[in-house]
Amino acid sequence: MNKNKLILRIPFISLFCLLLTGLQAQSLRALLEEGKTLVFAHRGAVNPEIPENSMKGMKQALDSGMYMLEIDIMESQDGILYLLHDRTLDRTTFGTGNISDWSSKDLDNLGLKGTEEQLPRFADFLAEAAQNGLFLMLDVKNAPLDKVLNLVEAADMLDRILLLTFSLERAQEAFALNHRFLVSVLVKEEEEFDEYLCKSNDPYQLAVYLNKDADLMLYDRAKKLGLPIITDVMGNIDRQGMDDPTIYREFVQKRNPDIVVSDYPVILKHVLH
């Protein structure tokens, strides 16, 4: 490489590393307070062609500049946590049947379709996520939340995760934990705002998940309460946004969410930023 070109590149590389270090040092709550719309990759993949909930997906996300991933967690027969969306193994692995019927000894040798890797353990994924400065949105399917959060704490990732809950019972389970982390609750009716605020021990750690087709009044109410808003564009909006990016922009401008989950996060992030 030409020496002069190398000298010119050094400040750019140093600036990039400095910015990356700053991002990695921030908590998710601090990022939300900056007011920018954050984009998370649905099931940890930057597009549906990449194997979901995989180490390969994480690597390609990092290569694409995506540091925010939504992932799914399931529990094995002997209580080990894995990345998996479905209760059954059939769709994404070379196994069959419910994951809850399989031991970790067998799951650790079970291949993940579309990759050369095995079904990832959550603890292993967390270790890589922590090392690479990722932020994670956790959709815990059938595992005890205390077990999940103990692993998150061990990885020093409590301030870099957001836990999704979709029922009052699951939210209360999260609120009862000693750990301090962001909890998202699904709100479908206005009166549910007060219900969740009363149940939470720390409203500062509360976020609201609103459906993409929810009444805009709910979005306004969440903003007035100062609650971070999560929504998603999977399905028709993602498909339309691929052909006409203004669809994404109009969706976000009408709702002003703090976090959007997408099957095409790189494209959405480019449109918004």
Side-chain angles (χ1 to χ4, degrees), residues 260-271:
V260 182
V261 186
S262 172
D263 279 328
Y264 299 97
V266 176
I267 296 173
L268 175 58
K269 186 177 177 181
H270 177 73
V271 170

Side-chain angles (χ1 to χ4, degrees), residues 12-197:
F12 172 78
I13 294 171
S14 300
L15 178 60
F16 175 80
C17 292
L18 182 63
L19 292 172
L20 178 57
T21 301
L23 175 66
Q24 292 175 339
Q26 284 185 287
S27 69
L28 181 54
R29 196 65 176 80
L31 279 180
L32 288 168
E33 290 175 355
E34 292 181 0
K36 295 181 180 179
T37 301
L38 307 179
V39 179
F40 275 73
H42 187 220
R43 300 184 189 177
V46 294
N47 69 63
E49 302 303 315
I50 297 170
E52 64 185 55
N53 289 306
S54 68
M55 294 291 191
K56 179 178 180 179
M58 178 199 290
K59 182 181 184 304
Q60 294 201 12
L62 287 168
D63 290 344
S64 301
M66 291 296 306
Y67 285 82
M68 300 181 180
L69 309 181
E70 183 266 353
I71 59 173
D72 305 283
I73 302 167
M74 298 287 282
E75 187 178 33
S76 70
Q77 185 183 59
D78 52 343
I80 302 300
L81 304 178
Y82 290 85
L83 266 62
L84 187 71
H85 179 272
D86 304 350
R87 290 187 178 275
T88 60
L89 298 160
D90 304 58
R91 182 174 63 86
T92 58
T93 79
F94 293 103
T96 59
N98 294 328
I99 185 174
S100 58
D101 294 332
W102 284 59
S103 70
S104 57
K105 179 181 178 180
D106 293 325
L107 289 169
D108 286 341
N109 294 306
L110 181 62
L112 195 63
K113 292 179 182 178
T115 75
E116 296 181 355
E117 67 186 76
Q118 282 70 48
L119 186 68
R121 283 194 178 201
F122 177 52
D124 295 336
F125 191 92
L126 264 181
E128 289 292 323
Q131 183 176 345
N132 287 284
L134 293 180
F135 297 87
L136 300 177
M137 182 182 294
L138 307 180
D139 189 352
V140 183
K141 299 299 187 181
N142 73 336
L145 295 185
D146 61 342
K147 181 181 292 186
V148 174
L149 272 299
N150 285 339
L151 288 176
V152 173
E153 182 180 42
D156 196 23
M157 289 276 289
L158 282 175
D159 63 350
R160 301 177 69 83
I161 64 106
L162 182 147
L163 178 72
L164 298 177
T165 68
F166 296 102
S167 69
L168 179 59
E169 293 73 24
R170 195 63 153 168
Q172 287 179 302
E173 183 184 349
F175 297 153
L177 297 177
N178 292 324
H179 307 293
R180 192 170 189 264
F181 56 95
L182 272 170
V183 180
S184 165
V185 297
L186 177 64
V187 169
K188 295 181 178 180
E189 304 290 341
E190 187 172 9
E191 56 267 23
E192 292 176 326
F193 283 110
D194 292 335
E195 185 173 21
Y196 280 115
L197 284 168

